[in-house]
Amino acid sequence: MTESEFLTGYDPAAYDRPALAVDLVLMGIRAGRLAALLLRRSRQPQAGLWALPGGFVGIAETLDAAAERVLREKAGIGRARLEQLYTFGAVDRDPRMRIVSVAYLALLPEAAFAEALAGGAGLAAAVLVVPWAGEAGGPVSAGAEDGAPLALAFDHADILALAVKRLRGKLDYTDVGFALLPEHFTLRQLQDVHAAIRGAPLNKSAFRRRMRDRGWIAPTGAREAGTAFRPAELFRFDRPGQF
Amino acid sequence: MTESEFLTGYDPAAYDRPALAVDLVLMGIRAGRLAALLLRRSRQPQAGLWALPGGFVGIAETLDAAAERVLREKAGIGRARLEQLYTFGAVDRDPRMRIVSVAYLALLPEAAFAEALAGGAGLAAAVLVVPWAGEAGGPVSAGAEDGAPLALAFDHADILALAVKRLRGKLDYTDVGFALLPEHFTLRQLQDVHAAIRGAPLNKSAFRRRMRDRGWIAPTGAREAGTAFRPAELFRFDRPGQF
DNA sequence: CCAATAGTGTCTATCAGACAGTATCCA
DNA sequence: TGGATACTGTCTGATAGACACTATTGG
């Protein structure tokens, strides 16, 4: 039997299959704190709870392509660097039916995050409360910008927790800190982002030294404006496209 | 509409779905080199090529449970610590139909690896050639134990390459080195495993110092037997269950 | 004794934390 | 001038690489 003869006789519908979806963790910085974009579910199941933007994977659509489509259609964001996070496959994670979901993570610069919030997609910012709780990272809870806790749908709290953990792991040796900031930033802003992701403060001079020694930042020559004190120097990320 | 009313009216078969499978990367050490267990495909498609043990995910089966079942049924291994690696979703990765596959990684102690090879499952050991090629890790090629290259089926070369990359990333701060060794081992064996995964040699005294300082190893009091030179001290892993 | 490997001691470079000190802005 | 924050200098401890040194086995 040749390969083409085999294919002719193959029955792809022999067994029941789980449905396959993607869910997007879209992270940003909001008032100096780590935040993610969520949608309030208007329909059953779990109406009223907050969920990650998600959607089903088409039969002729790559997982990455499905994630990009959901980014456009559900979050109204043109493009972002999406990275696969983990695949969640508990049998009862969705009461409608068996749905296996591939979670993706993207980091939005501060302006893009604000723009997505202002767009008509109905997104809200969930501030992530990230206690230090050791290197492994403890549970992550989500709250509205006024501090009120948000109830998350399905297993999306697990997905958020894993996203924060992944972020932490990559913080020291990739550009995740820069990806959340505008093009020009102060070292203080950068340090605040790192502290928010770590969930613990950082030593100032050691942090500045490390950033400069790695050659990742370049001075722009400009300075902050509108401060009531000494304005900080503005830097830019010097190794775009490296990761 | 309540949640139960909604569920009654929901049609889970409205769209075509990709099939969902798991593939297992079962790693071990073979004659001091990093190796993985492969099956030679006897049937179309891609008959004669070498593939990772895999199987479809049942409709009421967790991803982890499917991986454990494949471990038993296709590899003849009772149990191992399986860890999800990545989900591969290219549209044409399997010529039969659209199959999305969740890859899992497990590390087998030297004896379990040899036992699986000797079992009746038809597994072969593919020695992985892992050039250093920078921190990111270059392409990984598989060869038989006599050095002859093995042709891999589907996108399984990509899966192996990612598994090695993941292993490298975890080498310094988890127990991956110990997981591939027998219960009692010499520091030389441990160093060889680390060097095989890194694809680059290690400094002896620095390595020993690091292992001892971390408190991960405990002396057993016993020594190697049957050597033609000074026998090495045998150690055991002192932090089982920590990772 | 030699060959071969086990195991140690020491020098040096790098890097991070701690913390105090100086610089520069606005009011 | 004072308050606030930006930015720097320096000490110290932890860790890794390099490399030579000693120790212990079988023959």
Side-chain angles (χ1 to χ4, degrees):
Chain A
M1 186 163 69
T2 68
E3 184 153 339
S4 60
E5 281 168 357
F6 172 87
L7 286 174
T8 311
Y10 197 91
D11 175 14
Y15 297 97
D16 270 353
R17 302 171 171 183
L20 191 64
V22 292
D23 282 310
L24 269 47
V25 180
L26 302 170
M27 290 236 179
I29 295 290
R30 192 74 181 157
R33 290 184 299 177
L34 198 60
L37 292 174
L38 297 180
L39 285 166
R40 190 161 184 275
R41 289 187 59 82
S42 57
R43 298 193 303 182
Q44 295 294 351
Q46 312 215 1
L49 301 191
W50 294 85
L52 300 170
F56 290 100
V57 177
I59 187 66
E61 185 182 46
T62 292
L63 297 174
D64 292 358
E68 283 164 23
R69 178 174 54 75
V70 169
L71 185 72
R72 280 194 313 274
E73 295 178 358
K74 297 274 175 72
I77 297 173
R79 37 165 292 136
R81 211 175 65 200
L82 286 160
E83 171 193 318
Q84 198 191 105
L85 184 61
Y86 195 79
T87 299
F88 291 81
V91 170
D92 57 355
R93 54 183 296 281
D94 190 305
R96 286 170 287 186
M97 55 176 163
R98 178 78 195 284
I99 302 181
V100 170
S101 180
V102 183
Y104 276 79
L105 171 64
L107 305 178
L108 305 178
E110 206 160 10
F113 192 87
E115 194 180 326
L117 275 175
L123 291 162
V127 172
L128 302 179
V129 180
V130 182
W132 172 232
E135 190 63 57
V140 170
S141 59
E145 302 205 58
D146 61 10
L150 293 179
L152 295 173
F154 310 118
D155 55 358
H156 291 188
D158 297 336
I159 301 180
L160 279 175
L162 192 67
V164 170
K165 200 174 159 188
R166 170 78 61 96
L167 224 50
R168 276 189 187 165
K170 301 183 72 169
L171 185 60
D172 278 342
Y173 61 97
T174 71
D175 65 341
V176 297
F178 306 106
L180 293 165
L181 286 172
E183 192 182 343
H184 298 312
F185 52 85
T186 67
L187 285 180
R188 161 81 116 144
Q189 285 179 293
L190 184 60
Q191 182 176 340
D192 285 347
V193 167
H194 278 244
I197 294 174
R198 290 214 331 161
L202 285 149
N203 181 275
K204 186 162 81 165
S205 79
F207 181 79
R208 301 172 70 91
R209 188 176 43 205
R210 196 169 69 234
M211 290 299 143
R212 305 202 82 134
D213 287 353
R214 291 191 179 169
W216 284 355
I217 56 173
T220 62
R223 305 192 147 267
E224 258 183 326
T227 60
F229 39 80
R230 176 175 174 180
E233 192 174 359
L234 288 168
F235 292 83
R236 61 181 173 75
F237 181 43
D238 198 31
R239 294 278 185 283
Q242 185 174 355
F243 303 101
Chain B
M1 188 162 68
T2 68
E3 185 154 336
S4 60
E5 283 168 356
F6 173 88
L7 286 173
T8 311
Y10 196 92
D11 176 14
Y15 298 98
D16 270 353
R17 302 171 172 183
L20 190 63
V22 292
D23 283 309
L24 269 47
V25 180
L26 302 171
M27 290 237 181
I29 295 289
R30 192 74 182 157
R33 289 184 300 177
L34 198 60
L37 292 174
L38 297 179
L39 285 166
R40 189 162 185 276
R41 289 186 61 81
S42 59
R43 298 194 304 181
Q44 295 293 352
Q46 312 213 1
L49 302 192
W50 294 86
L52 300 170
F56 290 100
V57 177
I59 189 65
E61 186 182 45
T62 292
L63 298 174
D64 292 358
E68 283 163 23
R69 178 174 52 77
V70 169
L71 185 73
R72 282 194 311 274
E73 297 179 357
K74 298 275 175 72
I77 298 173
R79 39 165 292 139
R81 209 175 67 201
L82 286 160
E83 169 192 319
Q84 197 191 106
L85 184 62
Y86 194 79
T87 300
F88 291 81
V91 170
D92 58 355
R93 55 183 294 280
D94 191 303
R96 285 169 288 187
M97 55 176 162
R98 178 77 195 284
I99 303 180
V100 170
S101 179
V102 182
Y104 276 78
L105 172 64
L107 305 178
L108 305 179
E110 207 161 9
F113 192 87
E115 194 181 326
L117 274 175
L123 291 161
V127 172
L128 302 179
V129 180
V130 182
W132 171 233
E135 190 62 55
V140 170
S141 58
E145 303 205 59
D146 60 10
L150 292 179
L152 295 173
F154 310 120
D155 55 357
H156 291 187
D158 297 336
I159 300 179
L160 279 176
L162 192 67
V164 170
K165 199 175 159 188
R166 170 78 61 98
L167 224 49
R168 278 190 186 164
K170 301 182 73 169
L171 185 59
D172 279 341
Y173 60 98
T174 70
D175 65 341
V176 296
F178 306 105
L180 293 164
L181 286 173
E183 192 182 345
H184 297 312
F185 52 85
T186 67
L187 285 179
R188 161 81 115 145
Q189 285 178 294
L190 184 60
Q191 182 176 340
D192 285 347
V193 167
H194 278 243
I197 294 174
R198 289 214 332 161
L202 284 150
N203 182 275
K204 185 165 80 166
S205 79
F207 181 79
R208 299 172 71 91
R209 188 176 43 203
R210 196 168 70 235
M211 289 301 142
R212 303 202 83 134
D213 287 354
R214 291 192 180 169
W216 284 356
I217 57 174
T220 61
R223 305 194 146 266
E224 258 182 327
T227 59
F229 39 80
R230 176 174 176 181
E233 191 173 0
L234 288 168
F235 292 83
R236 60 179 173 77
F237 181 44
D238 197 29
R239 294 278 185 282
Q242 184 174 357
F243 303 102

